Each structure stands twice: as C-alpha cells, then as structure tokens.
Amino acid sequence: MDDLIAELAGALGEANVLVSEQDQAPFLTDWLGKYRGAARAVVRPGSTTEVAAVMRICARHKIPVVPQGGNTSMSGGATPDTTGDAIVLSLMRLNSIRNIDAISNTIVVDAGVVLAKVQQAAQQAGRFFPLSLGAEGSCTIGGNLAANAGGVAVLRYGTMRELTLGLEVVLADGRIWDGLTALRKDNTGYALRDLFIGSEGTLGIITGAVLKLFARPHARATAFVAVQDAAAALNLLPAVRDRCGDRLTAFEFMTGECLALILHHIGDARLPLAAMPPAAVLIELSDQDDEPGLRERLEAALIDSVEAGLVLDAAVAQDVTQAKAFWHIREGVSEALVREGKAAKHDVSIPVSAMADFVTSTDAAVRAAAPGIRPIVFGHLGDGNLHYNLLPAEGQTPADFAAIAPDLTRIVHDEIVRRRGSISAEHGIGQLRVGEMKLRKAPLELELMHQLKHLLDPAGLLNPGKLLPASPTN
Ligand code: FAD
Ligand code: 2HG
Ligand code: ZN
C-alpha cells in the first residue's frame, strides 16, 4: 500500500478507500457511457470532517480530486481523466437530512442526500421541495448544486441556485467554510455561496446546504398537447400563462421525432393522443387546492388555443395515474437516446422568444451540412432551454458520425451565440464542452474565472480538465 492510500485508509477506514478495478468501476464511467476514466482510489468519506481530512491529505500529496455525487452528469463532469492520477471523492455517504424548519420554510441536508429523499422528507413535513428532474432517484443535492441543476419546474420555482440559502464547503486545503445560514436577506459582502453553485467541483467540495421549502401544492392539472411546431408551442405559452398565471409549473416541448424515439424504445410509454403529432407540449399547472377548478382553467386555455389554431389536439389527465403516464413519456427521452446510439448533445439557452427561429434555422443548417442527420429536440421551452440532440443518419457508422460531430456542434453553438445565448443552460461544461470555452466566453470573463480558480485552488487539484480550459490564453 503506498503512502497516499495508507493515509486515506487511516482517515476513512480501509473499507472506504476503494482500490480494486471491480470496486471502482461504477465510479469511473459516466451515465451516458461517453467517458471512461481511471483513479488511484475512490474514497467514501462519511462526514464533513472526513472530507476535510481527505482534502488535507490530497493537498499535501498534490493529488487531483474529482468530486462525485450520483454520477448522472450529462457533461462528463464527475468522471476522472484516463491518467489514473486523481482520486474520486464520492459524497454518497454524507446522506443525512440534518434539520427541517417548517416556520423558516427550510431544510438542511448533507450534500450526498439523493434529491428524491429530500422531496420525500419535505413532503413528510407537509412542505414541498420543487427541484424535479429525470435523475432525481439517483442524483444528489451536492451534484445539483455543483451543476446548478434546472429540470422541469424552473418556470415556477427557479434553478437550484434560486432554491438555496446556505452552503457548507470544504476548500482545496481542507478548511471548512460554514456558510450554512438560512437567511433570505444578507447584505454583508460578496455572495460566496453563489460562486460555489454551478462551479462543477472546481472551487470546493460542497458538504451541506440549506434549501428553501414551499407550500405543498395539493392540486395539479396536466395536459399532453399536440401542436404543429415550436412556433405554435411558443405562442401557446403566453396564452396559457395569461389564463393560469403563476400556476403554470411546467411547459415541456418535444418534436414528433423525439416522441417517436421515446415510444420506440420505452416499452410502456403510450401516446395519449389519437394520432402521432408533429410536436407536443406537456403542460402542468399546480395550486394549493381546487383540482377541478385548476383542470377547468387549463381546459379553457386549451379550448381558446384550439380556436386560435395553436393546438391540434389535447389530452387532459383525469387522475394521478394518467398524469404520471404523461410524465413517463417525457422522462423516457434520455434513456431512449442512449438506447438509440450516442447522440451529439447540446444544451441550448436562448431568449424564449427566439426558440422557434432557432429550431428552424439550426435544423436547416445541420441538415445541409450532414444530409440524413436526425435532430431530436425537446426540453424546457418555457425557460428558453432546449436539448438539441443530433443522432447519426440511418446506417452511418459511429466513426463517421464522430468525425463530423465537432462541425455540427460548431453550427449549433454558432446559432446559439448569434442569439446571445449560452452553450449550457443546465448540464454544465464538464469535459464535454471545455474545449468550447475559449471560443464562446469573453476573454475578460475567462481571465476573471481563472483568477478566482487560482485563489481557491492554487495547485489546480479540484476537478482538473473540467469547466475551465488549462489557461485563459493558450
Ligand atoms: P454528479 O454527476 O456526480 O456530478 C455533477 C458535477 O458536480 C460534477 O462536476 C461533479 O464533480 C460535481 N459534484 C458532485 N457533487 C459535488 C459536491 N458535493 N461538491 C462539489 N462538486 C460536486 N440536469 C438538469 O439540470 N436538468 C434536468 O432536467 C436533468 N435531467 C437529467 C435526466 C437524466 C436521466 C440524467 C441522467 C441527468 C439529468 N440531468 C439534468 C443532469 C445532471 O446535472 C443532474 O442529474 C444532477 O444535477 C447531477 O447530480 P449528481 O449528484 O449525479 O452529480
Ligand atoms: C432533460 O431535460 C434532461 O430531460 C436530459 O436535462 C436531457 O438527455 C438530455 O439531453
Ligand atoms: Zn433538461
């Protein structure tokens, strides 16, 4: 056993320092199966002080550290590189709900708590934690924070950043920053909390968080709506919002090609419409009570929109089971994409009003560059966030597709930048997009980001190769 492994085992116990290939395997590949890395060890601390001990040991030995939560990153953010120099620091054993305060409307949790467990804990206390996404059964609060996750309820409740009040973070040198305050107002200087949120494990290890809770919505109305295209969906958005106001919780778009892919691969997904539509929107309203009233409101908005020619057909869920079946379709999309083959993934953020034009011109541009290419487009249209996935043409070999994928990505990202958008809305830069940063970020922004990185992680040990290119200039 070398010195490093012996010290780590001394701090955490041998059972929590995984060195065998077999034990490490699940931690070294990403959810999409796109990256496979190597590590000296996978360590599993069980407390904040143990995380701090790991960081002190790694700082002394100059060992890179890759933090990992549920390992559901869509950008290879939690997978180490292939050198085998790094350790993977899994937060999964930090899994306690520390406190729920129904009056302050807050919950304090360890970073390794799985999102679904936080939702359940809030529900048991008669409260509601709104972050919701397809990976909620396995992603962790620490990962949600490090990625500033979005999901399907951002329209009403905001992203993880907006849902967070305080953080506890272990710094690269092992010091612990206790910022676990539950204050809605605190004007005492720079917002350190917000620096760590969205930093993808490159500035510190998040070990705990104070999150906002909300009143539990007891009423929901859910509709699966056929539309002609993204332009119709975009016009439907204000029509529903005007009728339903803040009750509008989700507005999720899928093209017909996307729907067909889901229905093909997800065996128990059933289309709730008479015929396959050119495109669809999944709409959800929520409120404190009065489910029949909520449903009526949604139906009225949809009837108006049929008359205005925006809606082709619609199914409104009559009970929870039907609503779940509608969501099952939407939630099947990432799995369907993986089953179909490796897609070139793009996480588009542009002004909401530019979405339809974006889809039309990007579809045309990628099809011109690569005849037969299959855009699979879906996402959080109400947030200005589409997942623009490209699948190879039928019969195209993976090698041929890989050869043209960078050019296609350039086309998609150019279309984003033309609209003053961002190349990542919610999945982060990770290792997937790190090569794009110099092209897409202003030099001044990159320089400031490098200075902050140097301040907090002078030896560059935290998640190297992710988010930031090696230097701002070359
Ligand atoms: P990981 O994948 O383990 O890590 C993500 C990043 O955070 C990595 O850079 C890692 O190094 C870092 N990290 C993890 N924990 C910590 C910590 N404690 N301290 C510091 N850094 C840390 N994302 C969305 O925003 N919206 C969606 O709708 C959405 N849907 C998804 C659906 C599916 C099926 C899947 C597989 C993923 C989806 N994602 C979505 C992507 C992903 O960002 C989220 O699942 C989640 O936020 C990642 O949490 P995790 O615990 O798995 O983090
Ligand atoms: C979603 O919105 C996720 O379902 C995953 O962000 C998107 O697989 C994807 O591209
Ligand atoms: Zn998404």
Side-chain angles (χ1 to χ4, degrees):
M1 206 190 291
D2 67 24
D3 285 355
L4 173 78
I5 303 298
E7 281 184 47
L8 290 169
L12 309 181
E14 252 178 64
N16 292 309
V17 181
L18 313 181
V19 287
S20 81
E21 204 177 310
Q22 194 188 348
D23 288 346
Q24 288 189 2
F27 301 87
L28 301 182
T29 310
D30 66 320
W31 190 89
L32 291 168
K34 197 175 169 69
Y35 300 100
R36 181 180 294 273
R40 284 169 197 263
V42 175
V43 300
R44 303 172 67 245
S47 66
T48 301
T49 47
E50 286 191 359
V51 173
V54 169
M55 294 311 293
R56 281 196 301 274
I57 294 167
C58 289
R60 198 158 4 92
H61 289 269
K62 298 212 174 329
I63 300 298
V65 176
V66 179
Q68 190 179 96
N71 198 14
T72 64
S73 170
M74 286 262 162
S75 56
T79 311
D81 66 19
T82 52
T83 60
D85 291 339
I87 63 154
V88 172
L89 194 167
S90 167
L91 279 299
M92 293 300 284
R93 286 184 61 235
L94 270 71
N95 60 4
S96 298
I97 308 278
R98 298 191 196 175
N99 175 41
I100 297 189
D101 179 341
I103 294 180
S104 302
N105 239 353
T106 53
I107 184 167
V108 188
V109 299
D110 282 353
V113 178
V114 167
L115 171 57
K117 185 173 159 185
V118 176
Q119 296 166 340
Q120 283 152 18
Q123 183 167 344
Q124 278 157 15
R127 315 305 302 155
F128 179 62
F129 183 64
L131 190 79
S132 174
L133 44 97
E136 64 197 22
S138 46
C139 66
T140 62
I141 291 300
N144 299 151
L145 284 159
N148 185 23
V152 295
V154 171
L155 201 52
R156 179 158 186 181
Y157 295 100
T159 64
M160 194 60 179
R161 186 186 298 286
E162 289 153 279
L163 298 173
T164 306
L165 292 172
L167 287 187
E168 179 186 79
V169 179
V170 175
L171 303 182
D173 58 11
R175 283 178 296 166
I176 300 170
W177 173 55
D178 178 356
L180 275 184
T181 53
L183 307 175
R184 302 211 173 222
K185 303 178 93 173
D186 177 10
N187 279 355
T188 54
Y190 308 133
L192 295 179
R193 173 194 68 201
D194 286 338
L195 205 53
F196 291 107
I197 298 174
S199 66
E200 301 186 30
T202 63
L203 298 182
I205 313 290
I206 299 167
T207 49
V210 185
L211 307 173
K212 292 182 192 169
L213 296 178
F214 295 80
R216 233 180 105 190
H218 293 278
R220 286 183 194 280
T222 313
F224 202 90
V225 181
V227 292
Q228 188 57 44
D229 51 20
L234 213 53
N235 286 318
L236 179 61
L237 175 64
V240 176
R241 206 171 38 205
D242 286 353
R243 278 257 186 183
C244 307
D246 284 350
R247 298 175 191 85
L248 178 59
T249 309
F251 196 90
E252 296 288 312
F253 176 76
M254 287 158 273
T255 59
E257 291 80 2
C258 175
L259 268 178
L261 189 80
I262 298 167
L263 296 172
H264 178 67
H265 285 291
I266 309 295
D268 54 351
R270 298 273 173 277
L271 186 69
L273 304 168
M276 186 66 152
V281 182
L282 178 53
I283 301 175
E284 189 158 282
L285 308 184
S286 58
D287 208 345
Q288 293 326 108
D289 49 28
D290 188 18
E291 196 149 296
L294 199 62
R295 208 176 298 139
E296 267 171 40
R297 203 179 269 278
L298 181 54
E299 280 165 357
L302 291 173
I303 289 166
D304 285 355
S305 302
V306 170
E307 282 161 12
L310 297 175
V311 166
L312 304 175
D313 189 11
V316 177
Q318 295 306 308
D319 53 34
V320 176
T321 311
Q322 275 185 5
K324 278 195 179 147
F326 293 3
W327 275 108
H328 186 59
I329 300 172
R330 168 63 182 88
E331 281 161 3
V333 59
S334 299
E335 184 65 46
L337 277 161
V338 168
R339 289 189 193 171
E340 181 72 9
K342 287 200 173 51
K345 296 185 93 68
H346 308 95
D347 180 26
V348 179
S349 183
I350 53 173
V352 179
S353 57
M355 304 232 78
D357 175 57
F358 169 85
V359 174
T360 313
S361 52
T362 309
D363 279 359
V366 293
R367 285 190 167 118
I373 199 82
R374 291 176 292 155
I376 301 294
V377 185
F378 64 97
H380 323 288
L381 193 93
D383 306 329
N385 173 199
L386 283 179
H387 300 302
Y388 193 92
N389 286 261
L390 289 170
L391 282 170
E394 296 289 353
Q396 190 171 30
T397 65
D400 284 350
F401 182 58
I404 59 161
D407 292 338
L408 297 174
T409 290
R410 190 99 345 125
I411 291 171
V412 178
H413 287 178
D414 283 348
E415 292 286 342
I416 294 172
V417 171
R418 274 205 306 128
R419 294 168 176 83
R420 289 191 67 88
S422 163
I423 61 165
S424 177
E426 57 176 16
H427 294 163
I429 299 300
Q431 49 186 308
L432 176 65
R433 303 185 177 90
V434 69
E436 293 282 290
M437 283 293 267
K438 276 201 191 121
L439 297 171
R440 308 297 175 182
K441 276 287 204 204
L444 179 60
E445 275 180 292
L446 273 183
E447 191 185 320
L448 292 173
M449 285 169 73
H450 273 279
Q451 285 171 356
L452 287 167
K453 168 78 174 166
H454 187 71
L455 178 76
L456 285 161
D457 180 21
L461 298 180
L462 280 169
N463 218 0
K466 318 288 167 49
L467 201 160
L468 275 179
S471 95
T473 44
N474 52 49

